[in-house]
Amino acid sequence: MVYRQLRDQVLFGELEPGQPITIKGLTEALGVGMTPVREALRRLTAAGALEFMGNRRIVVPVLDSAAVGELTVARKALEPELARRAALRVQPSDIARLTETDLRLDHAIGRGDVGRYLIENHRFHCELNAIARSPILTETVDRLWLRFGPSLRVVCGRIGTRNLPDRHKDILDALRAGNPSAAATAMAADVEQGMAQIGDALR
């Protein structure tokens, strides 16, 4: 439970890049003991979501242009392939669920609700990846999202939700058409645009 709470705080940018984290502060904020907090921090540090700076200091990593470049390469290698595999397995019920998630995402964009946008955007990608039934690829992608999630929150704060790219409609169209290649192409464009905006905002 503690791990999921901290993971979501990192993933959705509630903990900002460069923000220091202490065990004592987390135990007080979450109302739990030190042992589960230490274990959650260990797991998140191992995943690259947090960085141990020595002297008992842990921070949310600040991405530089090189890190953004690596993350872009990794995401473009994996997420289009997951979209392609999902298109081969998708069922009408899956498309209906993804469409509902995308509608909630649109509503969040319309309201300028950054927190809900981040949650629904992540949910859309997670639901799509689950359809692919490729656990190794999906687990790797999940770790990548932990690395750029805090920076995505920064981007939303600077440019607003209305200016964020969203190729989900293209992905959904490809799924409805049963076109794996088009699904992969749309996902690659979604990743490319999103990571480019992160890179631009962090300059």
Side-chain angles (χ1 to χ4, degrees):
M1 181 186 70
V2 172
Y3 168 76
R4 286 197 301 271
Q5 285 182 283
L6 288 179
R7 182 204 62 182
D8 286 353
Q9 288 182 11
V10 172
L11 184 62
F12 302 128
E14 294 176 35
L15 299 175
E16 299 178 0
Q19 180 177 339
I21 298 169
T22 65
I23 292 176
K24 181 180 179 182
L26 289 174
T27 57
E28 293 175 354
L30 299 176
V32 297
M34 287 190 174
T35 298
V37 169
R38 282 199 183 99
E39 175 60 17
L41 291 174
R42 183 194 66 77
R43 291 176 62 183
L44 289 167
T45 301
L50 298 174
E51 186 174 357
F52 181 68
M53 303 296 290
N55 225 13
R56 296 186 177 182
R57 289 179 61 243
I58 298 173
V59 300
V60 179
V62 177
L63 295 183
D64 57 20
S65 59
V68 172
E70 286 191 56
L71 285 166
T72 302
V73 170
R75 290 190 66 199
K76 286 182 69 177
L78 300 177
E79 293 187 57
E81 174 60 18
L82 282 167
R84 186 190 71 81
R85 295 186 182 203
L88 294 171
R89 295 178 175 272
V90 71
Q91 300 296 315
S93 59
D94 298 321
I95 295 175
R97 184 170 62 255
L98 286 166
T99 300
E100 290 176 1
T101 300
D102 193 52
L103 284 173
R104 292 194 299 270
L105 176 66
D106 289 342
H107 292 154
I109 290 173
R111 296 193 306 270
D113 187 339
V114 171
R116 180 51 55 181
Y117 165 84
L118 293 169
I119 290 171
E120 298 300 344
N121 182 58
H122 180 256
R123 179 175 286 126
F124 182 92
H125 285 262
C126 285
E127 290 174 346
L128 182 65
N129 293 344
I131 297 167
R133 298 183 195 172
S134 302
I136 295 174
L137 294 179
T138 299
E139 181 182 352
T140 305
V141 167
D142 288 345
R143 291 164 69 99
L144 296 176
W145 275 70
L146 281 171
R147 287 179 177 265
F148 70 82
S151 296
L152 185 56
R153 182 68 176 246
V154 172
V155 171
C156 291
R158 290 183 182 178
I159 69 175
T161 56
R162 291 181 182 272
N163 296 310
L164 290 167
D166 178 2
R167 303 302 293 267
H168 295 174
K169 302 293 186 299
D170 295 339
I171 295 170
L172 286 168
D173 286 344
L175 295 178
R176 293 187 186 102
N179 190 330
S181 178
T185 298
M187 179 58 75
D190 187 73
V191 169
E192 180 72 36
Q193 291 180 6
M195 295 306 295
Q197 286 202 310
I198 290 177
D200 290 345
L202 298 179
R203 286 174 187 165

